[in-house]
Amino acid sequence: MTIPSATVSRLVTYLRILEELELNEVKHTSSGDLAEQAQVTAFQVRKDLTYVGRHGTRGKGYTVAVLKREIIRVLGLNQRWKVVIVGMGRLGHAIANFPVATEYQFEYTGLFDVDPKVVGTAVGGLPIRHMSQLPQFVAEHGVDMAFLTVPPERAQAAAEKLVEAGIYSILNFAPTVLRPPQLQDEKEISKTPERHNVTVENVDFLAGMKRLAYYTRKPDRPEAEDI
């Protein structure tokens, strides 16, 4: 069963809420409580949770630990995912040192760049390899996904290289719109028929800043002269 993308996003939000409830030793919650914290309707919560299974009890709601476990299962967070990071500048370093990722079964297995100044150095105990080594590394380690932290002008080419190497799930941190990378050779598609759909998730800090500017704007503030 395929879950709609918007529902997946909300399930991630519910999981975060449930984790906070568990930390506060809350044993049970309701669709109304989840809805209030997630800023959606209780009807929407109940509809989304039909993809997880029937775990609520009338008059008592949901057991936090059980619902958390089932959402983790549905999202695939009970499996270990091997991740490479492409682009080892400041952002790549920060992500490689981010400790929470391992709590959700994301295992950093490889770091890649093309800058000879950083290739051969190490971050978090992992050596930074040249991008030319990516295809062999993916084949040997069974990499599942990649985090892309390269400059925007290099993002599309890097994404294409990831797909050519056999990585079809990409978390893109570059502030640019990627064209959906595709396998260039139909023969390559036939070799991996179950894995040739490419999924790109974009994390655009700059877009978030622009949205904040809209909501924070002040009519009486003078406009910048260079715009």
Side-chain angles (χ1 to χ4, degrees):
M1 176 175 57
T2 301
I3 302 177
S5 177
T7 302
V8 171
S9 296
R10 288 191 294 270
L11 288 175
V12 171
T13 299
Y14 304 153
L15 177 59
R16 184 182 301 116
I17 294 168
L18 291 166
E19 289 170 336
E20 292 176 357
L21 291 174
E22 196 171 55
L23 283 174
N24 290 318
E25 300 183 352
V26 176
K27 302 298 182 184
H28 294 89
T29 189
S30 67
S31 58
D33 291 338
L34 290 172
E36 183 178 359
Q37 294 192 60
Q39 299 183 26
V40 296
T41 65
F43 173 79
Q44 184 67 69
V45 171
R46 291 192 295 270
K47 182 179 178 181
D48 291 339
L49 293 182
T50 59
Y51 290 99
V52 178
R54 297 184 180 276
H55 300 286
T57 303
R58 184 178 295 275
K60 194 173 183 180
Y62 302 95
T63 302
V64 170
V66 173
L67 186 56
K68 173 190 168 185
R69 181 191 68 210
E70 291 305 305
I71 292 179
I72 285 175
R73 177 186 60 80
V74 168
L75 293 176
L77 297 175
N78 58 346
Q79 306 172 34
R80 185 168 295 280
W81 301 103
K82 294 184 178 181
V83 180
V84 297
I85 301 174
V86 174
M88 291 309 298
R90 293 178 182 175
L91 181 56
H93 275 70
I95 293 173
N97 287 309
F98 186 53
V100 178
T102 56
E103 296 178 11
Y104 293 96
Q105 309 303 324
F106 295 104
E107 177 188 359
Y108 297 138
T109 57
L111 311 174
F112 292 87
D113 206 298
V114 295
D115 187 349
K117 294 180 181 178
V118 299
V119 172
T121 62
V123 177
L126 290 175
I128 300 176
R129 295 176 167 85
H130 194 274
M131 277 293 288
S132 60
Q133 298 177 269
L134 180 66
Q136 181 178 350
F137 185 90
V138 172
E140 292 177 353
H141 293 83
V143 177
D144 299 296
M145 59 185 71
F147 295 171
L148 191 58
T149 58
V150 300
E153 65 273 11
R154 298 181 182 177
Q156 186 66 44
E160 297 290 350
K161 289 184 180 298
L162 287 168
V163 172
E164 290 171 8
I167 300 176
Y168 307 120
S169 297
I170 302 170
L171 187 61
N172 172 42
F173 289 87
T176 187
V177 178
L178 295 179
R179 299 187 306 276
Q182 300 293 334
L183 288 171
Q184 300 299 315
D185 190 342
E186 291 295 329
K187 294 180 180 179
E188 290 300 316
I189 292 179
S190 66
K191 289 179 183 177
T192 55
E194 75 286 0
R195 291 198 62 199
H196 65 264
N197 292 324
V198 178
T199 301
V200 177
E201 285 282 337
N202 294 295
V203 180
D204 192 338
F205 298 117
L206 188 56
M209 293 166 66
K210 292 173 182 176
R211 286 192 295 270
L212 280 176
Y214 170 77
Y215 291 112
T216 316
R217 70 193 189 284
K218 295 178 172 60
D220 58 342
R221 178 173 293 180
E223 295 184 358
E225 296 181 356
D226 57 347
I227 293 179

